[in-house]
Amino acid sequence: MSHVKHRALVVLTCFCLAACAERGAPPTAPPIEMSARERAASKVHVDPAAAAAMISQYRKTYALGAVTPDPTLQKLAQAQADAMAAHNVLSHDIDGDLTQRFDAAHLVRATAVENVSAGYFSLADVIAGWRKSPPHNANLLSPKMQHLGIATAYAPGTRYLVYWALDMSN
């Protein structure tokens, strides 16, 4: 092979290898800046046992029985909170009414109630809000209630940011 052809082959190989060389990582998206309200909302979570204790203490002042967390009701409450957050709508009927949702979960409870809310950033605040609302308060104090599921869903970029659902049954 002639010296010129050899040199041309080396140069061509270098160009090919340079084209295959790893390029710098693509630029990353700039960090999303959150307001203090959004940051607080993103951290809102509820402990069902703490909720049951708080609601039971409130019910006790009216000589009513305690409520305990229930895993099936927990799943229903989470699905309701998630649906409201996904649609940015505060509604009892976003994924069917309460009876339809209980039937779909094969729950044969005689009595069930639901409280929904949005915009609260703590368990104490949402329960205080429900206590101030006569229909929601009636649900909290419904004598037949024995079990609950309670959940939150964070919805960034929405008006309320945090959606709550409480399902209780006997």
Side-chain angles (χ1 to χ4, degrees):
M1 177 183 279
S2 76
H3 184 64
V4 174
K5 285 183 182 179
H6 180 67
R7 184 174 270 177
L9 183 61
V10 169
V11 169
L12 181 62
T13 303
C14 289
F15 281 126
C16 288
L17 290 175
C20 294
E22 191 174 317
R23 300 183 194 276
T28 59
I32 297 174
E33 301 224 6
M34 297 172 80
S35 70
R37 182 172 183 265
E38 290 167 323
R39 222 176 356 272
S42 72
K43 296 176 184 174
V44 174
H45 300 284
V46 62
D47 174 8
M54 190 176 286
I55 292 169
S56 293
Q57 184 63 39
Y58 178 55
R59 290 171 57 85
K60 184 178 177 181
T61 64
Y62 291 88
L64 296 170
V67 291
T68 58
D70 178 273
T72 302
L73 292 175
Q74 186 63 35
K75 288 177 188 172
L76 288 173
Q78 190 64 63
Q80 182 66 10
D82 290 344
M84 291 186 300
H87 292 92
N88 191 21
V89 172
L90 183 61
S91 169
H92 289 279
D93 301 325
I94 192 82
D95 268 352
D97 67 26
L98 186 59
T99 301
Q100 292 169 327
R101 288 183 275 127
F102 266 59
D103 288 347
H106 306 291
L107 290 173
V108 288
R109 311 263 166 85
T111 305
V113 297
E114 179 176 69
N115 285 356
V116 296
S117 194
Y120 292 101
F121 291 7
S122 74
L123 175 62
D125 288 343
V126 77
I127 290 176
W130 286 333
R131 287 174 58 174
K132 291 176 186 172
S133 163
H136 292 105
N137 192 51
N139 287 345
L140 291 174
L141 298 176
S142 180
K144 294 181 181 178
M145 298 303 105
Q146 298 174 352
H147 307 282
L148 68 73
I150 186 168
T152 62
Y154 172 56
T158 64
R159 176 180 176 190
Y160 297 112
L161 297 175
V162 180
Y163 289 83
W164 292 79
L166 166 69
D167 289 331
M168 297 197 309
S169 72
N170 61 340

